[in-house]
C-alpha cells in the first residue's frame, strides 16, 4: 500500500510548527502541536503521543492526541516492549506496520489488538541536544497503513521535533537563569538592607531572611523582594 499527501498540506503543517517554535516566546504547547501535526503530515496516522524520560529513566507522557494513544503508550510500559521503549535506545525508528501479522512485539500486540483499534505503530527517538529525551509514537488503525513513505515522513517530523524541543529546553534554561539572577540580586539587596538596619553580619542577615522565609512558608526570593519593595516605598515617600 503506497500513500501520499499533497505536498502543500505537508509544507503548511511544517511551516505552522516552525512558526510556533521560532516566532513566539512561549513553548508550553509544543508537544501537543507536534502530535497534532503528525495526524496531518503522516498518512494513515490516527493517533500520536510523545513520551519522555524524567530523571533519565522514568517515562512521562508529555502529550497525546486522544485516549487511544494514551492507552497504547501505557501498554508499552506495562509490557516492557514496543516502538517507544525501543526507539528511546535505538539509533533508528522502530516500525511494525501490521500488528495482525507476525508482530514485532507479541505481548504488546496482543494487548493492543484486544483493547484498541490500533493496527500499526512507529516509534521515533527524540533527542534534546545530545541527550536521549524520549520518543514520538505514531499509531494507525489501518493494517499496513504505515508504508515506507509514511515512515519516512514521520522521521522528518521526529527530527523537527528534536530541534523544536531543543529550542524549548534552551529557552527554559535561559529563563531559569534570568529568574535565578534576578532572585539573587533581590536577596543580595535585602541582605544589605538588613546589615545596614540592624548592624549585623551578612551571615546573620541571611539567617534572618531564611528564618522569616520558613516561618511564613514563602520562598526566600519572595521575602527578599518584599523587603526591598517596602524599603523603596518608604524611601519614595520620604523623598516626596
Amino acid at each position: 500500500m503506497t500513500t501520499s499527501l499533497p505536498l502543500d498540506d505537508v509544507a503548511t503543517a511544517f511551516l505552522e510548527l516552525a512558526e510556533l517554535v521560532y516566532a513566539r516566546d512561549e513553548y508550553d504547547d509544543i508537544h501537543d502541536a507536534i502530535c497534532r501535526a503528525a495526524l496531518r503530515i503522516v498518512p494513515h496516522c490516527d493517533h500520536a503521543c510523545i513520551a519522555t524520560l524524567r530523571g533519565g529513566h522514568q517515562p512521562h507522557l508529555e502529550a497525546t492526541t486522544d485516549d487511544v494513544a494514551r492507552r497504547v503508550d501505557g501498554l508499552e510500559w506495562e509490557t516492557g516492549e514496543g516502538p517507544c521503549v525501543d526507539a528511546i535506545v535505538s539509533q533508528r525508528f522502530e516500525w511494525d506496520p501490521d500488528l495482525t501479522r507476525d508482530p514485532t512485539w507479541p505481548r504488546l500486540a496482543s494487548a493492543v489488538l484486544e483493547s484498541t483499534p490500533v493496527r500499526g505503530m512507529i516509534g521515533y527517538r527524540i533527542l534534546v541536544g545530545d541527550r536521549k529525551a524520549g520518543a514520538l509514537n505514531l499509531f494507525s488503525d489501518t493494517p499496513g497503513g504505515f508504508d515506507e513513505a509514511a515512515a519516512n515522513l514521520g522521521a522528518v517530523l521526529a527530527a523537527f521535533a528534536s530541534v523544536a524541543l531543543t529550542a524549548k529546553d534552551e529557552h527554559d534554561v535561559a529563563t531559569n537563569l534570568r529568574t535565578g539572577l534576578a532572585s539573587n540580586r533581590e536577596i543580595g539587596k535585602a541582605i544589605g538592607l538588613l546589615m545596614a538596619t540592624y548592624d549585623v553580619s551578612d551571615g546573620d542577615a541571611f539567617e534572618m531572611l531564611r528564618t522569616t522565609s520558613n516561618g511564613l512558608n514563602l520562598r526566600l526570593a519572595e521575602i527578599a523582594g518584599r523587603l526591598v519593595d517596602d524599603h523603596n516605598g518608604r524611601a519614595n515617600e520620604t523623598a516626596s
Side-chain angles (χ1 to χ4, degrees), residues 56-189:
H57 56 84
Q58 286 296 328
H60 177 76
L61 190 61
E62 297 286 354
T64 179
T65 55
D66 51 46
D67 289 339
V68 171
R70 185 184 305 276
R71 172 64 175 157
V72 178
D73 180 77
L75 288 172
E76 286 193 64
W77 297 106
E78 287 177 20
T79 60
E81 64 179 26
C84 181
V85 176
D86 289 355
I88 288 176
V89 298
S90 175
Q91 298 293 330
R92 58 186 178 82
F93 61 79
E94 300 296 329
W95 178 27
D96 191 339
D98 190 348
L99 300 178
T100 66
R101 296 184 178 183
D102 191 22
T104 304
W105 306 283
R107 294 191 306 276
L108 175 65
S110 176
V112 168
L113 292 173
E114 181 180 351
S115 60
T116 80
V118 169
R119 296 298 179 264
M121 53 181 65
I122 316 177
Y124 303 89
R125 183 179 61 169
I126 293 177
L127 298 177
V128 174
D130 58 355
R131 295 181 286 110
K132 297 175 182 177
L136 170 65
N137 263 357
L138 309 183
F139 308 110
S140 175
D141 295 345
T142 304
F146 282 155
D147 60 13
E148 186 173 354
N152 288 335
L153 270 175
V156 174
L157 176 61
F160 185 95
S162 292
V163 173
L165 294 177
T166 296
K168 177 184 183 300
D169 185 64
E170 292 175 351
H171 175 270
D172 290 345
V173 169
T175 298
N176 291 337
L177 179 59
R178 287 194 296 269
T179 301
L181 289 173
S183 297
N184 287 339
R185 282 196 296 268
E186 291 298 287
I187 292 171
K189 291 177 185 178

